[in-house]
Amino acid sequence: MTQLKKKEIYDLFSDLEMQSEKTLETIKGMRQQIAALIEENQALQFENKHLRDRLEVAGSPVKKESGLTQSRLNLENIYEDGFHVCNVMFGKRREEDEPCAFCLEVIYGQRN
Ligand SMILES: [Zn+2]
């Protein structure tokens, strides 16, 4: 192989390497943005639900078939969506849908 051809090949590879690194940076950046958006979306969804639930609670204090009041049903929904409704961790995500005794007490417990 001639010296010239070798140089061309090396140049080609170093261009390719630079382009790949740039692309990788772009992908990393996009992934961070997506993660941030998902987090923001989750927070907004939770806030939205919380606000809607407060409106519903204000509108109808009647008991449903399950025997739970509307406000407890709302808490049950939030809990089933994977969030804590207990005083200890209210609004935090339940990691891997771990059960929480405090939450269950809030939703199903006897009210004093
Ligand atoms: Zn909890």
Side-chain angles (χ1 to χ4, degrees):
M1 212 182 281
T2 66
Q3 276 305 113
L4 190 65
K5 272 205 166 154
K6 273 188 194 168
K7 193 186 177 307
E8 279 173 13
I9 292 173
Y10 280 128
D11 286 351
L12 205 70
F13 268 101
S14 95
D15 281 357
L16 213 59
E17 206 178 328
M18 265 168 49
Q19 283 173 19
S20 301
E21 277 168 9
K22 270 190 199 164
T23 307
L24 197 65
E25 281 306 302
T26 309
I27 291 172
K28 279 183 187 167
M30 285 170 72
R31 192 160 60 186
Q32 281 176 353
Q33 282 181 13
I34 289 171
L37 283 174
I38 289 173
E39 207 171 298
E40 191 186 349
N41 185 37
Q42 226 163 43
L44 286 174
Q45 266 182 14
F46 182 78
E47 192 185 345
N48 186 25
K49 190 164 179 47
H50 187 65
L51 289 173
R52 210 180 322 139
D53 289 347
R54 291 184 71 172
L55 285 176
E56 282 174 17
V57 168
S60 64
V62 287
K63 283 193 173 193
K64 294 282 164 91
E65 286 158 42
S66 64
L68 294 178
T69 59
Q70 184 62 49
S71 63
R72 286 193 184 209
L73 280 175
N74 292 333
L75 292 174
E76 187 184 45
N77 283 335
I78 296 173
Y79 181 76
E80 280 170 3
D81 280 348
F83 293 97
H84 283 278
V85 295
C86 57
N87 294 332
V88 192
M89 309 250 274
F90 190 87
K92 294 240 170 67
R93 199 157 240 304
R94 290 191 295 121
E95 298 297 331
E96 320 238 325
D97 280 348
E98 62 184 355
C100 174
F102 299 113
C103 287
L104 295 176
E105 176 64 26
V106 169
I107 300 168
Y108 305 110
Q110 296 296 323
R111 190 157 283 179
N112 297 321

